[in-house]
Amino acid sequence: MSKPNKARYRLESVRRSFAEAVGGEAVEFEVGDGKVFSFPHPMFAPDAMQQQLNNAQGDEAGARILLGDSYDEFVAAGGDANSLMLLYVAVRNEAQDTVQKHRPTKG
């Protein structure tokens, strides 16, 4: 029950607010002739994926975790693991800057 004059955070609203602030829950990018791929935004990646990325040995391992079954198609389209991991790091760093400035909405 709500308390009078006391706003509460709604978790759904907080998540939506942060997703909007960082551009969505997925990161889309293109390679080669415009083939589009995506991976979960670092802020919204599942715990298991984050743990796998922390334990990954090298860029190819990290890229395979991010893209899953799409990795081979990504390479065939002209993508490379190092560039993908550079994108991942850039998005993660940008999100950290954004989160420091963002205030989620209540209610």
Side-chain angles (χ1 to χ4, degrees):
M1 185 168 176
S2 294
K3 295 181 181 180
N5 302 320
K6 176 107 174 162
R8 292 185 184 179
Y9 288 101
R10 292 187 48 96
L11 291 182
E12 298 84 3
S13 297
V14 170
R15 183 179 185 94
R16 186 173 39 255
S17 174
F18 276 100
E20 289 172 5
V22 299
E25 292 189 32
V27 176
E28 287 190 347
F29 62 97
E30 60 182 67
V31 297
D33 291 333
K35 179 73 177 161
V36 176
F37 296 91
S38 66
F39 58 85
H41 191 286
M43 283 184 54
F44 300 102
D47 288 344
M49 178 181 273
Q50 290 180 27
Q51 186 65 38
Q52 289 175 325
L53 286 167
N54 289 339
N55 295 329
Q57 298 287 321
D59 290 341
E60 183 178 340
R64 285 183 179 278
I65 292 164
L66 287 174
L67 296 179
D69 293 338
S70 299
Y71 179 78
D72 291 334
E73 184 181 356
F74 162 74
V75 172
D80 69 280
N82 182 257
S83 295
L84 177 59
M85 295 314 294
L86 288 171
L87 173 61
Y88 177 80
V89 169
V91 169
R92 186 183 64 206
N93 289 345
E94 183 179 312
Q96 289 172 344
D97 291 342
T98 300
V99 167
Q100 290 178 358
K101 298 172 190 166
H102 182 71
R103 297 292 174 253
T105 57
K106 292 184 181 181

